Amino acid sequence: MPELTPPLPYIEQTVSCLNAYRDDAHLAAWMPSGLDALTLETLTLLWRGEADSLEAVCEKLKGRDHPRQVYADALGELRKRGCLEGTDASPRLTEAGKAFRERIEQDTDRYFFTPWSCLTGAEKVELASLVTHLRDGLIASGSSSSYQKTSGG
């Protein structure tokens, strides 16, 4: 970890560590499902409403440089698992598919926040205040635009 002074490198490293920990919680939430990362990412795009067809998935993930067939196979796997119905041109998540993806998010949150359960009520209030103060300071300085884009916050 960087030195506490000046504070910005220390804060940046701390946020990076929290993001890495969140990623680990997410991996722990979905890996037992047996889905590969590409299929989960495809499911996530459909779940978030960021793609509504195989073509849209391919366009959204074109930087991954996978051939179209890889994403068609991912849609096929999601159909096989009962998460998806419809054609490649118009896939729709089933209720089971939505519930499955939402459960991954809930499990991610549970894994991420469980270790914090040892905090006292006063410590949780203090932590919330500190994080809110940091967020508001970043927003006021215009430094949070990349954070907002990556975290949805």
Side-chain angles (χ1 to χ4, degrees):
M1 293 294 286
E3 297 296 321
L4 288 172
T5 304
L8 196 53
Y10 184 85
I11 291 167
E12 189 280 329
Q13 183 61 46
T14 302
V15 170
S16 291
C17 288
L18 279 173
N19 281 335
Y21 175 58
R22 176 75 179 182
D23 288 345
D24 289 345
H26 189 61
L27 286 170
W30 70 262
M31 288 192 75
S33 74
L35 283 182
D36 61 47
L38 186 137
T39 303
L40 179 71
E41 187 171 30
T42 301
L43 172 64
T44 299
L45 289 175
L46 297 167
W47 178 68
R48 288 182 175 162
E50 295 175 8
D52 61 359
S53 67
L54 173 58
E55 292 306 319
V57 168
C58 291
E59 179 61 28
K60 189 81 172 171
L61 301 177
K62 68 182 175 188
R64 303 268 192 268
D65 291 326
H66 293 297
R68 182 181 191 279
Q69 188 58 48
V70 170
Y71 297 111
D73 292 346
L75 293 179
E77 177 63 23
L78 293 170
R79 278 190 202 89
K80 185 173 118 181
R81 290 174 176 247
C83 293
L84 194 65
E85 59 190 16
T87 66
D88 286 353
S90 185
R92 293 174 308 284
L93 286 181
T94 62
E95 289 305 313
K98 290 175 192 175
F100 170 72
R101 187 57 186 81
E102 287 165 8
R103 191 170 42 258
I104 290 172
E105 252 349 83
Q106 291 165 356
D107 287 348
T108 298
D109 287 345
R110 184 170 44 86
Y111 297 152
F112 182 75
F113 289 112
T114 293
W116 300 3
S117 64
C118 67
L119 298 176
T120 66
E123 289 169 331
K124 289 177 185 176
V125 168
E126 180 182 8
L127 179 59
S129 175
L130 290 169
V131 170
T132 301
H133 181 70
L134 174 61
R135 182 203 61 205
D136 293 348
L138 290 171
I139 289 171
S141 71
S143 300
S144 67
S145 60
S146 64
Y147 170 76
Q148 289 176 338
K149 289 178 187 170
T150 60
S151 70

